[in-house]
Amino acid sequence: MSKEKHNSSFYNFVMRSDGAVSLLVVLLGFFVATILVVCVGRNPSGMYKAIVQVVTGWNIDKGVWNVRYIGEWLNYSIPYILCGFAMAFAGRVGLFNVGGEGQYLMGVTVAQLCAIYFPQIPGIHWSVALMCAILAGALWGGLCGFLKARFEVSEVVSTIMLNYVALYLSRIIIKAIPGTNTYKTVDFPNTALLHSDLLAKITNGSNLNYGIYLVILVTVLYWFMMEKTKMGFALKATGFNRDAAHYAGIPVVSSIVVAMAISGAYAGLGGGIVALGSFKYGRVLSAMDNYGYTGIAVALVGNNKALGTFIAGLLFGMLQASQTLMQSKGIPKEITFIIQGLVVVFVALKAGLKIFFTFIEKRRNLQESAIGGNK
């Protein structure tokens, strides 16, 4: 194959594949971050050694393997994946859900209440707490969907405002629980925790819990719902063209409400898993956890697709889990936030990359046509 044909195939592949563009922008993010690390006088190998240790458990410097790092990486990734789905699902319907953080916080709050007040029945206790967290997130998201569908209130504005309502409402509710101090509630009973002895044993005592099974299940359900069901087709049709969907007999108003409710359910589940899987007590939140906001970037990198969002969530979880290790290797932990920001910037430039490749391809075609005409 000639070099020209090879380059042409590459351009065509990039222009037609959202996944290829996402991979390219992630690599660009790491490339620029590497340059920044060098500019501040640090060795970038420390950054990559930390990432390798998180993903594989292998400490290159000491030659020691510890699977606990992998477990913590997966545990960190859970809320990113679920909050990514909260944004992605709404995005497939043409909506921009900036309220994943508020929906997540409502899931945290309700899960904590159920953990403290629901009867201590093994298996049932944490299951009910998670179901209530899902319902709380769905109601919080569905409210924004109703305002959008019924009164044409911008979902961007309503979701952002409700994020702050959720934060301060959570503080008021949790502080009212007897035995709560400025920072935390009383400890949860064991029946409310998502702890798994099997996963803890496999991952050498990490915080990985039953939530990972739920994330895998939710990923499959997301794919099946959007790609294989009538409801998924109706939701996607609404996202492509609401007027056309309306004239085709699709209930656009209810589709918007349902989409926002399901989006909120994903974030609420993420909040419930964090509340019961990563902590043994309820937290009085003084600030947002920012999983919901980062979930926007996760969905953008994943192109709002099931597998793409899942992988993007693992990427952001990896960056979160590697912060402390990077710092121990002489790399400022803030570099992980810089990488996240760079990835988001380059994701926003995806359209620009495609325009650039299209321009290069057209220019090449013109050159080939000119050469052919001269012959």
Side-chain angles (χ1 to χ4, degrees):
M1 180 182 292
S2 67
K3 182 178 180 181
E4 290 78 8
K5 290 183 178 179
H6 178 77
N7 290 336
S8 178
S9 299
F10 173 75
Y11 295 141
N12 288 331
F13 174 69
V14 171
M15 286 187 290
R16 295 175 182 176
S17 173
D18 288 332
V21 177
S22 293
L23 177 60
L24 180 59
V25 298
V26 169
L27 293 177
L28 284 173
F30 276 95
F31 175 71
V32 176
T34 301
I35 294 176
L36 291 175
V37 171
V38 173
C39 290
V40 297
R42 305 297 172 86
N43 188 347
S45 65
M47 178 175 70
Y48 293 103
K49 287 179 180 179
I51 291 174
V52 169
Q53 187 171 347
V54 165
V55 175
T56 67
W58 183 255
N59 187 323
I60 297 176
D61 293 328
K62 297 182 179 180
V64 178
W65 183 73
N66 189 346
V67 71
R68 180 186 177 91
Y69 291 107
I70 301 176
E72 294 296 348
W73 164 41
L74 295 176
N75 188 51
Y76 274 119
S77 300
I78 288 174
Y80 287 121
I81 294 171
L82 291 173
C83 289
F85 281 139
M87 172 60 193
F89 197 92
R92 297 292 291 273
V93 194
L95 301 171
F96 200 81
N97 181 16
V98 195
E101 186 69 22
Q103 296 145 20
Y104 161 88
L105 291 176
M106 293 308 297
V108 170
T109 304
V110 173
Q112 292 179 166
L113 288 174
C114 291
I116 293 175
Y117 290 113
F118 193 81
Q120 300 178 26
I121 307 173
I124 302 296
H125 193 173
W126 64 261
S127 298
V128 171
L130 287 184
M131 288 300 298
C132 291
I134 292 172
L135 181 60
L139 290 174
W140 210 248
L143 173 60
C144 298
F146 174 75
L147 293 174
K148 171 70 174 181
R150 183 67 178 82
F151 302 106
E152 288 295 327
V153 176
S154 170
E155 74 276 13
V156 175
V157 175
S158 63
T159 51
I160 289 177
M161 294 299 100
L162 284 176
N163 285 344
Y164 293 95
V165 174
L167 173 62
Y168 295 112
L169 182 61
S170 174
R171 288 179 57 82
I172 292 171
I173 293 174
I174 300 303
K175 278 187 173 182
I177 298 175
T180 301
N181 59 30
T182 307
Y183 307 103
K184 61 187 285 291
T185 69
V186 295
D187 289 345
F188 295 149
N190 290 331
T191 54
L193 302 178
L194 295 177
H195 175 77
S196 168
D197 291 332
L198 175 62
L199 290 175
K201 182 178 180 180
I202 293 174
T203 59
N204 194 25
S206 76
N207 286 320
L208 189 63
N209 52 71
Y210 289 124
I212 191 64
Y213 300 128
L214 296 175
V215 168
I216 295 173
L217 176 61
V218 162
T219 303
V220 175
L221 288 176
Y222 180 96
W223 169 82
F224 183 79
M225 186 185 305
M226 295 305 298
E227 306 298 338
K228 300 296 181 180
T229 66
K230 181 180 178 181
M231 183 180 74
F233 175 80
L235 292 174
K236 287 189 292 183
T238 302
F240 284 129
N241 192 314
R242 293 181 189 176
D243 293 332
H246 175 74
Y247 286 114
I250 296 174
V252 174
V253 173
S254 60
S255 293
I256 292 174
V257 177
V258 168
M260 288 299 294
I262 295 176
S263 295
Y266 283 120
L269 175 60
I273 291 176
V274 170
L276 306 180
S278 298
F279 297 91
K280 296 182 179 180
Y281 52 84
R283 293 179 296 152
V284 179
L285 297 169
S286 59
M288 297 181 184
D289 285 344
N290 289 322
Y291 289 120
Y293 290 119
T294 308
I296 298 173
V298 172
L300 291 174
V301 175
N303 297 303
N304 295 339
K305 303 293 181 61
L307 181 59
T309 303
F310 181 84
I311 294 175
L314 291 176
L315 168 67
F316 281 78
M318 175 195 72
L319 292 173
Q320 177 70 22
S322 62
Q323 280 187 357
T324 303
L325 290 175
M326 285 186 186
Q327 197 169 14
S328 67
K329 297 178 186 298
I331 305 297
K333 66 177 183 178
E334 290 78 11
I335 197 66
T336 60
F337 299 114
I338 293 175
I339 294 174
Q340 291 178 8
L342 289 170
V343 168
V344 173
V345 170
F346 288 129
V347 165
L349 294 176
K350 280 200 300 185
L353 288 173
K354 288 192 173 185
I355 292 173
F356 172 74
F357 285 129
T358 301
F359 170 75
I360 294 295
E361 183 66 14
K362 287 182 178 179
R363 185 176 178 180
R364 184 179 301 277
N365 291 336
L366 289 173
Q367 290 175 348
E368 291 176 354
S369 298
I371 293 173
N374 293 332
K375 290 181 179 180

